[in-house]
Amino acid sequence: MRRPGADPDDFRAFVAASAGQLYRSACLLAGGDTHLAEDLVQEAFGRVYQRWSKVVHLDNPVGYAQTTLVNTFISTRRKRSNHERPGLEAVDAAAPDTDPTLRLSLLAALRQLTPKDRAVLVLRYWEDRSVEETAAALNLSPSAVRSRCGRALARVRDILGADFAVLAHS
């Protein structure tokens, strides 16, 4: 007998509908490392599936999956054995009407941030979450989120240096 809300077809539909959004977030969290992004999304979906009978009844299952993705990213960064880097750099095809120089510069800057700072910026500015939502997702206080955002943005500006203004307005 199947539990209510635990239908595998419902989960497949959820994955199909949310995979693109989670993958884009994972790419930002991973600093452009598409292989790591794929692993993060797969791990996050595995964790969501384990709790699917409860998750399916939440108001925002995608939000739950995004939070799971961020927590998965942070926990993988803590593991010492998880610092492998592929030998070849995968090249993504640029989306139409985008500035590849700006994109690559921002990804490089994100890679230099700590995992928590990167997660704060991705949730606040890519996922467009409020300070309170970001705080809840990362188990931080709202003031800690604001502080981390300020410091992380300042760090990105320092990393990009004088190129920041040129890249932002080109």
Side-chain angles (χ1 to χ4, degrees):
M1 182 165 180
R2 201 181 293 182
R3 293 178 296 176
D7 184 357
D9 291 333
D10 289 345
F11 184 73
R12 283 188 200 98
F14 170 75
V15 169
S18 60
Q21 180 180 358
L22 288 179
Y23 178 71
R24 287 186 294 275
S25 296
C27 282
L28 289 171
L29 288 169
D33 182 341
T34 56
H35 301 290
L36 176 58
E38 290 169 355
D39 291 345
L40 289 171
V41 171
Q42 182 176 7
E43 179 69 22
F45 277 136
R47 291 179 183 186
V48 169
Y49 183 73
Q50 289 174 333
R51 300 186 45 86
W52 183 245
S53 63
K54 291 182 170 86
V55 173
V56 72
H57 298 294
L58 295 175
D59 289 338
N60 186 1
V62 176
Y64 181 88
Q66 289 170 331
T67 299
T68 302
L69 176 75
V70 170
N71 291 336
T72 301
F73 167 72
I74 290 171
S75 70
T76 60
R77 296 292 90 193
R78 286 185 189 135
K79 295 177 185 173
R80 298 260 186 242
S81 64
N82 200 329
H83 293 299
E84 296 177 11
R85 299 301 248 168
L88 298 173
E89 187 69 28
V91 179
D92 288 342
D97 299 324
T98 62
D99 182 356
T101 306
L102 174 61
R103 180 174 179 257
L104 292 173
S105 296
L106 288 174
L107 287 173
L110 280 174
R111 276 193 297 269
Q112 294 183 45
L113 299 176
T114 66
K116 275 226 175 170
D117 285 348
R118 197 181 311 171
V120 166
L121 290 183
V122 169
L123 288 174
R124 283 285 293 130
Y125 300 109
W126 175 257
E127 297 291 338
D128 199 27
R129 291 192 186 192
S130 69
V131 170
E132 291 75 20
E133 291 170 327
T134 302
L138 296 174
N139 199 26
L140 297 171
S141 69
S143 62
V145 169
R146 286 189 288 274
S147 296
R148 277 190 179 272
C149 274
R151 283 194 304 266
L153 288 172
R155 176 85 174 114
V156 168
R157 285 185 197 106
D158 287 345
I159 292 167
L160 294 176
D163 295 337
F164 180 73
V166 173
L167 290 170
H169 298 300
S170 59

